[in-house]
């Protein structure tokens, strides 16, 4: 079929043609359309204007807070200090229950302890003495009646040496042909090797002048032994006295230490406020006994009156306060005291103490009232106000404000600090 050609297209054809052409265009564009180009993001700018504005506002608010809320003033005052010194006798008494300022009495504590010891000491006495010779003899009695001889009866040897019998004996009677006899131990009358005699005959000098003198005699059949001469040690009275003094000193020191341990560190025990009593001092050897050493035993009882240092300081401070006036304050850091023993009656439980004490005092300053009066004042005005308040009781005044730009004291009592310097 031949294709129609139109010079002027009818409306329907025109619309159809237009639709067909449009569809082709779309198809062509859809096929031939290139991928869209990627767009570059633009750089983000820092908001300096906002930062500066906010920062400036923060600074202004902070400065305002510091100026109105954190202002402070420190007023340093060096008060004039007057020294008061006194000397008094203060009594510590176990009968007192509390400090008595009027009577100058403080409480005391009475305490006792006891120590016993035995110690060996050397005997230092010396002399020339000897060991005594000894042996055995047989005493004979030719008389018909018996004869009694007591301990210590002397026998005289044919060589002129005296011996004594060691025990009481009764010599039975006998006859010349058959005398009664008894054996007994004897010892030389003196020490020394000269008494080491051989077998000897002995008479009884104590019977001289009686019939028994001729009917009684003694015989030794062996030599006497043990006699010697040499230096010996003896107990002297000085030894006893020295032993007593030494042991008493040791026990007294031990008792004093025991007293202090029982009392504790808060109490003071003066040496002269301790009483010592000795009991039972005795040696186990007598004066003159020949020994190298002896033992001495004794008991020491110690009693003391003690007091608290804190009580002594308290009554001294109270005394100063009673003398300084109601408008003054005591400066505790300057308080000083020294004390010594004055007198004591340990048995009654009291001791008198001589005390020298002193302390600085200054005019009382009401910090709250003063701070209230200094609000809003400059440094010069504060100095003038303090000096006017204290008159000649102030040595120096120094004022500090914070922060550094502040020129007057805050309008807040709590923000004004009063510091006392000494």
């Amino acid at each position: 079929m031949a294709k129609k050609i139109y010079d002027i297209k009818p409306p329907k054809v025109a619309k159809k043609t237009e639709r067909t052409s449009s569809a082709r265009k779309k198809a062509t564009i859809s096929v031939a359309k290139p991928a869209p180009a990627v767009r570059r993001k633009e750089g983000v700018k820092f908001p300096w204007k906002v930062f500066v504005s906010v920062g400036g506002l923060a600074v202004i608010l902070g400065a305002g807070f510091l100026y109105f809320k954190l202002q402070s003033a420190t007023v340093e005052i060096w008060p004039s200090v007057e020294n008061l010194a006194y000397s008094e006798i203060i009594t510590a008494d176990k009968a007192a229950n509390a400090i008595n300022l009027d009577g100058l009495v403080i409480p005391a504590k009475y305490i006792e302890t006891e120590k016993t010891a035995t110690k060996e000491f050397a005997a230092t006495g010396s002399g020339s003495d000897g060991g005594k010779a000894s042996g055995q003899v047989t005493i004979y009695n030719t008389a018909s009646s018996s004869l009694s001889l007591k301990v210590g009866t002397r026998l005289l040897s044919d060589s002129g040496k005296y011996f004594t019998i060691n025990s009481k004996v009764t010599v039975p009677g006998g006859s010349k042909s058959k005398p009664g006899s008894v054996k007994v131990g004897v010892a030389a009358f003196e020490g020394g090797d000269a008494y080491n005699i051989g077998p000897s005959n002995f008479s009884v000098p104590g019977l001289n002048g009686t019939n028994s003198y001729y009917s009684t005699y003694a015989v030794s059949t062996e030599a006497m032994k043990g006699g010697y001469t040499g230096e010996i040690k003896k107990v002297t009275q000085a030894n006893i006295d020295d032993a007593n003094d030494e042991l008493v000193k040791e026990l007294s020191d031990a008792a004093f230490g025991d007293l202090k341990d029982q009392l504790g560190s808060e109490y003071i025990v003066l040496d002269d406020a301790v009483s010592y009593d000795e009991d039972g001092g005795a040696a186990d050897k007598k004066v003159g006994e020949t020994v190298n050493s002896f033992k001495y035993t004794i008991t020491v009882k110690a009693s003391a009156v003690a007091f608290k240092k804190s009580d002594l300081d308290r009554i001294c401070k109270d005394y100063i306060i009673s003398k300084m006036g109601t408008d003054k304050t005591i400066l505790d850091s300057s308080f000083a005291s020294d004390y010594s023993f004055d007198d004591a009656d340990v048995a009654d439980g009291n001791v008198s103490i001589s005390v020298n004490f002193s302390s600085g005092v200054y005019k009382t300053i009401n910090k709250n009232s003063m701070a209230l009066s200094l609000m809003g004042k400059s440094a010069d005005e504060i100095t003038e106000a303090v000096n006017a308040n204290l008159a000649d009781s102030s040595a120096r005044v120094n004022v500090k404000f914070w922060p550094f730009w502040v020129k007057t004291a805050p309008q807040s009592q709590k923000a004004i600090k009063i510091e006392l310097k000494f």
Side-chain angles (χ1 to χ4, degrees):
M1 181 177 175
K3 187 179 182 182
K4 290 182 181 182
I5 302 172
Y6 299 96
D7 291 328
I8 299 174
K9 294 179 181 177
K12 290 184 179 178
V13 175
K15 288 182 180 178
K16 183 178 179 181
T17 304
E18 185 178 350
R19 284 196 295 270
T20 303
S21 175
S22 176
R24 287 177 180 170
K25 276 185 178 181
K26 287 181 179 179
T28 303
I29 292 171
S30 176
V31 173
K33 185 178 179 181
V38 178
R39 297 180 63 186
R40 295 182 179 177
K41 292 183 179 180
E42 296 182 1
V44 179
K45 295 183 178 180
F46 187 81
W48 287 104
K49 291 183 178 181
V50 176
F51 176 77
V52 172
S53 299
V54 173
L57 180 60
V59 171
I60 293 172
L61 292 175
F65 178 77
L66 291 174
Y67 188 81
F68 292 104
K69 297 296 182 180
L70 298 183
Q71 287 188 46
S72 68
T74 300
V75 181
E76 298 175 331
I77 302 173
W78 281 259
S80 296
V81 178
E82 176 188 3
N83 189 64
L84 300 181
Y86 302 94
S87 296
E88 294 292 342
I89 300 296
I90 296 174
T91 300
D93 194 336
K94 71 175 183 179
N97 296 319
I99 294 173
N100 181 351
L101 180 60
D102 293 334
L104 292 180
V105 177
I106 61 175
K109 187 172 183 178
Y110 178 82
I111 189 170
E112 296 178 329
T113 190
E114 183 177 294
K115 298 290 183 182
T116 300
T118 298
K119 188 175 180 180
E120 188 171 9
F121 297 88
T124 62
S126 63
S128 296
D129 203 348
K132 293 181 179 181
S134 62
Q136 193 176 57
V137 299
T138 300
I139 301 176
Y140 294 97
N141 180 15
T142 62
S144 58
S145 58
S146 63
L147 177 68
S148 293
L149 300 176
K150 64 181 181 179
V151 175
T153 297
R154 293 184 299 169
L155 304 179
L156 178 61
S157 71
D158 51 14
S159 60
K161 303 297 182 184
Y162 282 98
F163 286 79
T164 59
I165 64 175
N166 297 334
S167 61
K168 179 181 178 180
V169 294
T170 298
V171 186
S175 63
K176 289 185 178 181
S177 60
K178 192 176 181 179
S181 66
V182 65
K183 291 184 177 182
V184 66
V186 295
F189 188 72
E190 296 178 337
D193 55 7
Y195 286 82
N196 294 329
I197 60 176
S200 304
N201 295 320
F202 298 85
S203 62
V204 183
L207 297 178
N208 191 17
T210 68
N211 293 331
S212 297
Y213 179 76
Y214 299 101
S215 61
T216 307
Y217 60 93
V219 177
S220 65
T221 59
E222 294 183 358
M224 302 293 177
K225 298 178 181 179
Y228 69 90
T229 302
E231 293 294 321
I232 59 169
K233 294 295 182 182
K234 294 181 178 180
V235 177
T236 67
Q237 186 60 50
N239 290 155
I240 301 293
D241 294 341
D242 290 345
N244 181 85
D245 293 344
E246 181 177 329
L247 202 51
V248 166
K249 176 64 169 59
E250 290 181 5
L251 292 180
S252 297
D253 290 344
F256 186 76
D258 186 48
L259 291 174
K260 295 186 71 174
D261 290 342
Q262 291 184 52
L263 289 167
S265 59
E266 63 179 339
Y267 279 92
I268 293 174
V269 184
L270 298 175
D271 290 345
D272 294 322
V274 182
S275 175
Y276 301 98
D277 293 319
E278 303 170 19
D279 184 29
D284 66 342
K285 304 296 181 183
K286 295 180 180 180
V287 173
E289 245 184 284
T290 304
V291 291
N292 290 323
S293 64
F294 64 96
K295 292 181 179 179
Y296 194 81
T297 302
I298 195 168
T299 296
V300 172
K301 297 177 180 179
S303 54
V305 179
F307 57 90
K308 289 184 178 179
K309 178 64 163 57
S310 58
D311 287 342
L312 186 64
D313 288 348
R314 182 69 268 164
I315 197 171
C316 291
K317 290 180 181 179
D318 288 347
Y319 187 91
I320 293 173
I321 291 171
S322 71
K323 301 293 183 182
M324 70 185 184
T326 57
D327 63 335
K328 299 289 181 66
T329 297
I330 189 170
L331 182 59
D332 276 334
S333 61
S334 67
F335 175 78
S337 67
D338 63 80
Y339 52 87
S340 59
F341 174 83
D342 181 70
D343 193 14
D345 188 337
V346 177
D348 286 344
N350 61 73
V351 57
S352 297
I353 312 151
S354 177
V355 189
N356 299 314
F357 54 99
S358 64
S359 180
V361 299
Y362 61 95
K363 184 175 180 180
T364 302
I365 298 174
N366 188 321
K367 294 183 180 182
N368 292 331
S369 176
M370 179 171 286
L372 189 64
S373 69
L374 301 181
M375 293 190 304
K377 286 183 169 56
S378 66
D380 291 340
E381 290 171 334
I382 290 174
T383 300
E384 184 178 349
V386 171
N387 287 329
N389 180 275
L390 300 180
D392 58 352
S393 297
S394 173
R396 183 158 65 94
V397 180
N398 184 44
V399 182
K400 298 177 183 178
F401 293 133
W402 193 90
F404 64 89
W405 61 76
V406 173
K407 302 301 180 184
T408 59
Q411 293 293 342
S412 170
Q413 179 187 3
K414 293 181 179 180
I416 301 175
K417 184 179 180 181
I418 309 296
E419 292 184 355
L420 301 183
K421 304 287 186 178
F422 298 98

